[in-house]
Amino acid sequence: MSTANPPANRTRATIAVVAAVLAVIVIGFFIFASLYTDVLWYEQVDYLGVLLTQWGAQAAMFGVGFLGMALPVWASLFIAFRFRPMYAKLNSQLDRYQQVVEPLRRVAMLGIPIVLGLFAGVSTASRWPVVLQWLNRTPFGETDPQFGLDISFYVFELPFYHGVVGFASAVVLLCAVGALATSYLYGALRVNGREVRISRTARIQLAVTGAIYLALQAVSLWLDQYTTLYSSHEGFLETGAGYTVANATIPSRAILAGVAALVAILFIVTAVIGRWRLPIIGTALLLVTSLLIGSVYPWIVQRFQVEPSAQTLEEEYIQRNIDATRAAYNVDGVEEQPYNATTDATAGALREDAETTANIRIVDPALVSDTFRQLEQVRQFYQFPEYLDVDRYEIDGATQDTVIALRELNQEGQSSRGWLNDHIIYTHGYGVVAAYGNQRADDGEPVFLESGIPLSGGLGEFEPRIYFGETSPEYSIVGADEGANAREIDYPTAGEDESESPRFTFDGDGGPKLDNVFKRLLYALKFQSEQIFLSDAVNDQSQILYDRDPATRIQKVAPYLTLDNDPYPAVVDGKIVWIVDAYTTSANYPYSDTNSLSETIADTYQPRPNFPLDNINYIRNSVKATVDAYDGTVTLYAWDDQDPVLKTWQKIFPSTLEPMSEMSDQLLDHVRYPADLFKVQRSVLERYHVDTANSFYQGNEAWSTPNDPTASSSNPTLQPPYYLTMQVPGTEQPAFTLYSTFIPNNSGQNARNVLTGYLTANSDPGEDYGKLTMLTLPEGQVPGPGQVFNTFSSDTEVANQLALLERGNTEVRRGNLLTLPVGGGLLYVQPVYVRATGESGYPLLRKVLVAFGNDIAFEDTLDQALDTLFGGDSGADAGDTDVEPTDPEDQPGAEEPPAEEPPAEEPGTETPPAEEPSTGGDALAQALADARQALQDREAAYARNDLVAAAQADEALQDAIERAIAASE
């Protein structure tokens, strides 16, 4: 029996070792699969250098962090143990501790530094962007007003120095803890009541460690002087050094840095002479000094010197804040001009704004997605986005604003789901659908300039297939051997049988090739799908397409960029491309006001974040990026090549950016001023349109962006900016423009929804691209969006017509409320849609509301509404002049049909006496007949989706029922 247990124990140990080795191998292979597939992806998109640079920087930083932590901690533990007292008398408790620790000492001496080093390495590896920016920093060529240092010191250098000091402080602190614990455990440090005994070696080690730590704190305090220029403090300024900070806080931090350095010297003295009294006194002095001159003194200056004379003393620093903020957000070049807007709607007022009037967009891209879906989705496995995009195209020699969307794939709509259908058969969307922004059909539907499958329209010949889009599948496997049968459904035909649809084989270069068994195994592991490895649909010519969202692809190849939230499609040079605006940002620009990017861009179309953590105080639209919708090619163009932040990243990732000169003319035609940047700039200009310190301090001229009047009152959101082709007052010709409005910044009973400013950004390429124009309005004269919306809603005639449109199974949805500076004033235009409430209902444009000053009009077409508003003739034609009115009786000039003349009497005959008017049963019969006819008219109207006619039939039915009730009484 004594020989039975050892073999069993050895067997279990062997099994455990083998299992552990296998587990390590499996985990290692999964890690390898993830890393190698990344290499394949980056290699295919031709940005492998970006990945290798990141990996190299992370590996180097991990090594620095690991060694920077592990070696000092090991040295501290080794020194404390190596020079321990050999014959120290220990109490029984410490003796027991030693007995427990001693068997693990060798492991702990190496294990503790290694574990701490791993944590430190992971932490420092994530800081690779800071280090690479410091190594490749580019001067801004501008200096701060407090210290006279180049802005690059704050953006690139100061974060690096703070990171180094913080890391070193953590290392020294852990070294001190390790030395203390080891010295105490092995008797170099003994505490007996109030008596503390320490060996000479432990004293030197702890004193030197303390000196290094205090020296690092001195450096940190000295650097803290500079962080005051982009930090928040008490006082008037929200960001930057005001009077108190510049004259009390900054000098006090310099003094504290000197005191900390002096205390560090006292620790060195202790290491030499062996007396702890001096460093203890010095440390106490440092704490008292930090309290007095670090906190109390600035409070006294602020409370008793600054607050009584704040406007005078803060003037210089407020001006610094104004100048820096306007420069950092690139609004210092905004062109302000007064606009004495009239509120009188006179005949012919729009004659000089004929081009703007002709391009007024009446199609709301936020409402017509369902309309596009019902009319152009074709099959359930296609879809359109919730909010469509606005762009412009040249049609018949004229620039035309368009509402555009791609018909992308929707796998949830497939008739049959499965791996083969999801990843082999249904692989791509098909086609562009674009509608004229200023036109509608007689029945209220959009007028398409590009539509259908196969495609037809005015955008010319282009590759219609969409393999890379915002809703593309997680991955698709495409490609086949030459001559093999095509598997992918290209597009549906008129029949219902999808098996008869034309097939297609992807022939581009869109993803890594699965040309051997090893790669198939790697991707089977990556996507957790054995079918990739086993399926006969995968061959040596197959490619796997993944990471297909345009924003995802750009973010991977340019991790230093912040992307705009609205990628938009455009037909460019015979293909569909996604255009994405990208920004370089910083939060360290001295004296510039700090904003949360995600909060600032929140509006009706962009939700507000729960926990915004993306503070910035500098932004540039430095890059325009494109992604080919067919093969996923990513191209980055240096749009603002003078941006120092972009120049720095170009040194880090050379050869990844193309110069702007490489952009084709067609691509430039579809570039637009980015909405997110514009929203940040309008937020800044709410206060910083004031450029003098005294006016800024008083705050009476502060503005705010109005809430979207079409949003729910229980969840108000800011009105989004809108793209329109217009001629801004003071310019020579119309341009594709992004605009927003301002109202006074007050709330409660004092709130007034009147316009104070009108901000525009030119989106056409050329010298004026990005030009910001601010029209300043006479306050209190021009109603704001909220007032106009309220006027529309409270007008009796409008309310009655809206109520008529909502009768029956319909609902009214009011579109975006646009504001245009035309006719010497501000014109408001709001399309009104009617939608059936059934599942297949979709919005149809039926009416248009317009306002100018206090006058409003509500007609079937924009052209009619403008003529009505401006005294019968606006002086210009809108884009919907050819639309027939929905109710023929409301057409101008409609006449009653002539009454029939009675037949001539024959000689010798007498005219019979006139019949008495029918009453009683005859009236009831007539009313019932009218009711039946109204029901038939209503059903016919719904059958042809004519919602206005259906509403009129409802009214006729109601009238007939009332007459029937009256006749039966």
Side-chain angles (χ1 to χ4, degrees), residues 112-133:
I112 292 174
I114 289 174
V115 171
L116 293 176
L118 290 174
F119 280 108
V122 171
S123 176
T124 54
S126 65
R127 302 284 291 170
W128 67 268
V130 175
V131 177
L132 291 187
Q133 286 185 89

Side-chain angles (χ1 to χ4, degrees), residues 856-875:
I856 67 171
F858 189 36
E859 301 292 346
D860 291 338
T861 68
L862 175 60
D863 193 66
Q864 293 175 2
L866 293 178
D867 284 339
T868 301
L869 184 66
F870 290 97
D873 181 14
S874 67

Side-chain angles (χ1 to χ4, degrees), residues 34-65:
S34 176
L35 296 178
Y36 188 60
T37 52
D38 280 346
V39 169
L40 293 175
W41 189 91
Y42 276 92
E43 186 177 36
Q44 190 278 322
V45 296
D46 202 22
Y47 285 90
L48 182 59
V50 173
L51 179 65
L52 297 181
T53 298
Q54 289 185 73
W55 281 2
Q58 289 172 346
M61 290 300 299
F62 179 86
V64 170

